[in-house]
Amino acid sequence: MRIEWPDPEGQEIVERLFAVAVALRVHFEETAADVGLTVPQAHTLIHLQEPQRMGEVAAYLRCEPSHVTAIADSLERCGLLRREPDPEDRRAKRLLLTSSGQQLRDRLVARLFESAPIISVLDADQRIELLSLLRTAQSAAGSDIRH
Amino acid sequence: MRIEWPDPEGQEIVERLFAVAVALRVHFEETAADVGLTVPQAHTLIHLQEPQRMGEVAAYLRCEPSHVTAIADSLERCGLLRREPDPEDRRAKRLLLTSSGQQLRDRLVARLFESAPIISVLDADQRIELLSLLRTAQSAAGSDIRH
DNA sequence: AGAAAACAGTTCATTCACTGAAGTAATCTC
DNA sequence: GAGATTACTTCAGTGAATGAACTGTTTTCT
């Protein structure tokens, strides 16, 4: 990013974290495309390990509910999920994966994690160290996956 | 992300890194919006610390050259940059910031770094540790900033 | 030197993710 | 039980991004 900054060490951390973010994003896009999904479709599929109400999916994706309708339409057309009425609230619908949706989700998740950039280079000790730092850093802030 | 996985520690690292990526992305979007820029406009401005050829900017943004034309048009209309002919190749044009573009870039960069999420929670020792891990992890792979 | 190929940027049509407003049906509140 | 709120849908519109066709410039090859 090449940025001037009074605290060069803090700067480098942010730059490198941005680079991590980019690498993960590209990794996600490529993996989704590999299994024939767009990015929002892949995010939705990943989130549907258990059936979820559409509004809940919209909150997860940080988008308008109307957009979830469109994503669900496309995934339903592909036979990857079904809508079912929510037994607790007849206004709401729950999205749930079909068996082929479940299979595709498994493949997607496996590929996403098996070749994730960055961590593969670290040895066991370094991983533990990194994990501990990430836990500390994130203990305050809460966040979700997003495209 | 809630994902089943044989190596729970590796899984948690990847999940947390995804969360970092999301947080940084949101931070970037908000900061860009704060100074009145869209995400691609902000990325372009940041990259123009020195004048760059449009094709070079396209490579940096990982987009088609025709899209850089559109971004440059909008930033030029705002008076933030100028096109100048590349002295070394009359086919090419270089984008360079006007003084108000330079000012806006400085403000943007300052805000981007001053309140970056995650690191602000860590103390000096932890920062050094994190930085060292990031350096190790990224020594192999090269990557750039992207939306 | 001169013709052909490759290249830098632009224009335009189109795609796709996403928003926002209006509508329908079900549930909550008083 | 009337009125407000909520869950999803429909539809029109925005904005980021692509890809093909075009102009002008440089490179390459003989």
Side-chain angles (χ1 to χ4, degrees), chain A residues 133-144:
Chain A
L133 284 171
L134 289 172
R135 280 186 181 139
T136 306
Q138 291 170 345
S139 51
S143 55
D144 251 20

Side-chain angles (χ1 to χ4, degrees), chain B residues 8-144:
Chain B
E9 171 204 299
Q11 173 190 0
E12 189 182 340
I13 293 179
V14 178
E15 283 176 11
R16 287 187 181 273
L17 285 177
F18 267 116
V20 169
V22 172
L24 285 174
R25 184 180 162 71
V26 169
H27 174 57
F28 192 96
E29 284 170 358
E30 288 173 352
T31 308
D34 271 1
V35 301
L37 295 173
T38 67
V39 169
Q41 284 174 338
H43 275 297
T44 303
L45 217 64
I46 285 173
H47 191 54
L48 290 180
Q49 187 163 26
E50 316 127 22
Q52 300 285 339
R53 289 167 55 149
M54 298 183 69
E56 197 285 327
V57 173
Y60 172 77
L61 295 175
R62 291 193 182 83
C63 72
E64 298 298 315
S66 62
H67 190 216
V68 175
T69 298
I71 297 171
D73 284 351
S74 70
L75 291 172
E76 198 168 26
R77 248 181 276 120
C78 300
L80 296 170
L81 61 76
R82 301 199 325 266
R83 285 165 162 95
E84 86 181 354
D86 185 322
E88 322 227 309
D89 185 340
R90 281 184 354 217
R91 291 171 300 185
K93 293 170 190 167
R94 297 198 313 181
L95 303 182
L96 57 93
L97 296 181
T98 62
S99 62
S100 79
Q102 187 64 55
Q103 279 176 24
L104 189 62
R105 181 185 181 280
D106 292 345
R107 265 207 295 153
L108 175 64
V109 166
R111 292 205 193 181
L112 255 186
F113 280 64
E114 83 193 355
S115 59
I118 296 127
I119 48 155
S120 42
V121 193
L122 300 177
D123 64 34
D125 286 351
Q126 290 172 323
R127 286 183 185 212
I128 291 171
E129 213 171 290
L130 177 57
L131 184 50
S132 141
L133 285 170
L134 289 172
R135 281 185 181 142
T136 305
Q138 290 170 347
S139 50
S143 54
D144 253 20

Side-chain angles (χ1 to χ4, degrees), chain A residues 2 4 12 22 49 135, chain B residues 2 4 12 49 135 144:
Chain A
R2 280 163 245 149
E4 62 296 327
E12 188 182 339
V22 171
Q49 186 164 25
R135 280 186 181 139
Chain B
R2 280 162 244 152
E4 65 295 328
E12 189 182 340
Q49 187 163 26
R135 281 185 181 142
D144 253 20

Side-chain angles (χ1 to χ4, degrees), chain A residues 67-104:
Chain A
H67 190 215
V68 175
T69 300
I71 297 170
D73 285 349
S74 71
L75 290 172
E76 197 167 28
R77 248 181 276 120
C78 301
L80 296 170
L81 61 77
R82 301 198 325 266
R83 285 165 162 93
E84 87 180 355
D86 185 323
E88 322 228 308
D89 185 340
R90 283 185 350 218
R91 291 170 300 183
K93 293 171 190 166
R94 297 198 313 179
L95 303 182
L96 58 92
L97 297 181
T98 62
S99 62
S100 78
Q102 187 65 54
Q103 278 174 27
L104 189 61

